[in-house]
Amino acid sequence: TILQVTAMDADSTSNSIINYHLQNGFGSEYFGIDPVTGVLYTGGHLDHEVTPNLTLVVIATNPLGDVVLNSTVPISISVLDENDNHPTFDLLRYDVYIDENKVGGIFPIVTATDGDLGENGTIVYAIVSGNEENLFAINSTGGLLELQKAHDYEVNQTIYVLTVSATDRSVQQLTNYTTIYVH
């Protein structure tokens, strides 16, 4: 139940019986109304990213009267956003090449998008594995990877494999991952 509409008719007997229905149009496919009680309910899947707002028109009619009369009322509905989209990285794998013995080098931005709005779509980045030596840092809001310590290739010929997460700021957080190969 979303809400209940009520219409009044000053007539008596069968002239005072009121039935409710929705005017056909945008939004009426998502809702239904009980013709006797006027209770409005959802009848289809709503998605804030597709339809954030809509207006329904409820028609109240006294169909048994000598003269059929009706009245209308618009109802504005705001669809709340739920966290129904995971962050999605632009790439499943990033390859980064670093210069030897260079500290502070900044590398291409790791980017993810989220179809949700507000906090549900705001992304926070983190390195979740592969950074045991703390050589790298990632900007939590921009996804920019930075070299924190000098890397001597002659001493350590390792290719670093970093797992980076993108997590939204919703109360019920959704997360996705990508891999960065640092050569």
Side-chain angles (χ1 to χ4, degrees):
T1 300
I2 306 273
L3 62 86
Q4 182 175 14
V5 293
T6 304
M8 304 293 230
D9 189 327
D11 291 331
S12 59
T13 65
S14 63
N15 290 339
S16 66
I17 294 173
I18 299 173
N19 284 352
Y20 303 94
H21 66 276
L22 295 175
Q23 183 179 43
N24 289 336
F26 182 71
S28 62
E29 68 271 21
Y30 298 112
F31 297 91
I33 192 165
D34 184 290
V36 176
T37 64
V39 170
L40 185 67
Y41 56 89
T42 57
H45 176 72
L46 295 165
D47 188 348
H48 176 83
E49 288 79 30
V50 176
T51 311
N53 300 295
L54 45 91
T55 300
L56 302 173
V57 177
V58 175
I59 302 171
T61 307
N62 65 343
L64 302 177
D66 296 332
V67 176
V68 177
L69 300 173
N70 64 49
S71 181
T72 62
V73 63
I75 299 174
S76 297
I77 297 176
S78 296
V79 178
L80 301 177
D81 187 29
E82 71 176 42
N83 194 22
D84 57 347
N85 293 294
H86 282 78
T88 304
F89 281 98
D90 293 344
L91 301 171
L92 294 176
R93 173 187 171 141
Y94 292 82
D95 285 284
V96 175
Y97 297 87
I98 60 173
D99 293 329
E100 185 177 21
N101 295 319
K102 183 177 181 183
V103 176
I106 296 175
F107 308 102
I109 296 175
V110 176
T111 55
T113 56
D114 189 316
D116 292 310
L117 301 175
E119 293 296 298
N120 293 344
T122 301
I123 296 173
V124 176
Y125 300 95
I127 299 172
V128 295
S129 70
N131 195 27
E132 289 76 18
E133 298 174 32
N134 293 318
L135 286 176
F136 306 97
I138 193 162
N139 178 291
S140 65
T141 58
L144 192 65
L145 187 67
E146 184 175 357
L147 185 62
Q148 296 290 301
K149 298 177 184 175
H151 172 73
D152 187 348
Y153 189 75
E154 284 80 23
V155 173
N156 188 353
Q157 296 183 11
T158 302
I159 294 176
Y160 295 96
V161 181
L162 306 176
T163 301
V164 173
S165 66
T167 303
D168 59 38
R169 290 187 175 179
S170 172
V171 172
Q172 297 176 345
Q173 296 177 332
L174 297 176
T175 301
N176 210 338
Y177 302 91
T178 192
T179 304
I180 302 174
Y181 291 84
V182 183
H183 306 268

